[in-house]
Amino acid sequence: MSGLPGALPSNESTNRIAIYGILIYKYNSSQPIFLSASVDLSSFPFFHRSSLKEHIFFHSRLVCSRTQKGNREVIELESGIGHLHIYTNKETDISVLVLTTKSYPMRIAFGLIDNAQRLFQQNCRGRYEHVISDLSEGALFTSELNELLKKYQNPSEADRLSRVQKDLDEVRDVMLKNIEDLLQRGEKLDDLMKKSQDLSNSSYQFYRQAKKNNQCCKLY
């Protein structure tokens, strides 16, 4: 099984519980528009973080473009990268995605998504509706996402706070999919990577080399 740069052997990370990123896009079925993100890769080697971050952005935009509005879905990414949770609000066209390890509780991840959706509307209504191209990182809602990322790193504490605040809805009808399930007939993930604006050539080549060498390792 192939891995990505900075990957850890699977026996070192099987039971790890962590969130690695929260990303917000303005929904568009052909090219979602990036609005904001908070990513924490501090547990990985410094020189690998840039490539890891690019792969997170690539997968997030792809999943966002291939997921129907109003559906709660969990996508298992290739090579054991982790689980990407997504929900797009039908009324606002705001998509929130949360990348976690497989062991992170799904209900808490969607509680985080609901919280991010609510706070984004409270803080950013009137500031994103007419955006037609990707915003720069840090331009919108970044400090709020950073705080949410810290709060939800401990799912037990996040669950306790959410129950007290009564802002954690019961999660129903969640669809579990594999990343390949989102590809159209004849599409290959490698080809989408080559065309992606989210991946530099060096990050793509590292992925290709890892796949060629059949590295038995995982990102988390």
Side-chain angles (χ1 to χ4, degrees), residues 59-67 75 84 86 97 179 182:
H59 284 92
S60 297
R61 198 189 299 264
L62 174 63
V63 168
C64 182
S65 69
R66 302 296 174 89
T67 304
I75 311 301
L84 194 54
I86 179 171
L97 301 95
I179 188 67
L182 303 183

Side-chain angles (χ1 to χ4, degrees), residues 3-17:
L4 294 180
L8 297 176
S10 58
N11 61 354
E12 292 184 15
S13 55
T14 302
N15 297 317
R16 187 171 188 181
I17 297 176

Side-chain angles (χ1 to χ4, degrees), residues 43-66:
S43 59
F44 296 95
F46 177 80
F47 292 106
H48 293 155
R49 294 174 193 171
S50 177
S51 291
L52 289 173
K53 187 175 181 179
E54 288 184 11
H55 279 279
I56 290 173
F57 276 61
F58 164 77
H59 284 92
S60 297
R61 198 189 299 264
L62 174 63
V63 168
C64 182
S65 69
R66 302 296 174 89

Side-chain angles (χ1 to χ4, degrees), residues 5-205:
L8 297 176
S10 58
N11 61 354
E12 292 184 15
S13 55
T14 302
N15 297 317
R16 187 171 188 181
I17 297 176
I19 298 176
Y20 288 93
I22 311 170
L23 301 98
I24 299 180
Y25 290 86
K26 184 179 178 182
Y27 178 81
N28 184 299
S29 60
S30 59
Q31 183 71 1
I33 300 169
F34 173 80
L35 297 178
S36 187
S38 177
V39 177
D40 181 5
L41 298 175
S42 58
S43 59
F44 296 95
F46 177 80
F47 292 106
H48 293 155
R49 294 174 193 171
S50 177
S51 291
L52 289 173
K53 187 175 181 179
E54 288 184 11
H55 279 279
I56 290 173
F57 276 61
F58 164 77
H59 284 92
S60 297
R61 198 189 299 264
L62 174 63
V63 168
C64 182
S65 69
R66 302 296 174 89
T67 304
Q68 290 187 353
K69 292 189 289 185
N71 288 351
R72 293 184 184 271
E73 299 193 11
V74 179
I75 311 301
E76 182 173 357
L77 303 184
E78 86 284 0
S79 303
I81 292 175
H83 283 170
L84 194 54
H85 308 71
I86 179 171
Y87 175 75
T88 300
N89 188 297
K90 289 183 178 180
E91 297 181 358
T92 65
D93 279 347
I94 291 300
S95 303
V96 178
L97 301 95
V98 172
L99 178 61
T100 72
T101 55
K102 292 183 178 181
S103 300
Y104 194 93
M106 179 181 67
R107 185 172 60 85
I108 309 301
F110 279 108
L112 167 54
I113 287 176
D114 291 344
N115 205 357
Q117 289 271 7
R118 177 176 56 81
L119 290 174
F120 185 82
Q121 286 303 311
Q122 289 178 359
N123 290 272
C124 302
R125 185 179 290 113
R127 300 168 59 192
Y128 73 87
E129 289 85 348
H130 301 295
V131 173
I132 59 174
S133 60
D134 288 353
L135 296 181
S136 300
E137 283 191 68
L140 186 70
F141 201 60
T142 303
S143 60
E144 293 88 345
L145 282 188
N146 290 340
E147 288 300 316
L148 284 174
L149 188 63
K150 292 178 183 178
K151 172 183 174 182
Y152 279 83
Q153 284 294 357
N154 183 339
S156 297
E157 179 66 12
D159 190 24
R160 184 186 68 80
L161 291 173
S162 295
R163 288 182 182 278
V164 170
Q165 298 167 359
K166 298 181 180 179
D167 63 0
L168 185 60
D169 296 330
E170 183 178 353
V171 176
R172 300 187 182 93
D173 301 324
V174 175
M175 288 178 278
L176 303 177
K177 295 182 179 179
N178 188 284
I179 188 67
E180 282 78 14
D181 295 333
L182 303 183
L183 302 182
Q184 299 173 3
R185 179 175 296 182
E187 276 189 328
K188 295 181 180 179
L189 197 61
D190 279 22
D191 293 337
L192 294 177
M193 286 185 174
K194 283 190 287 187
K195 299 175 183 177
S196 173
Q197 67 185 42
D198 292 314
L199 287 176
S200 63
N201 183 62
S202 60
S203 292
Y204 171 71
Q205 292 302 328

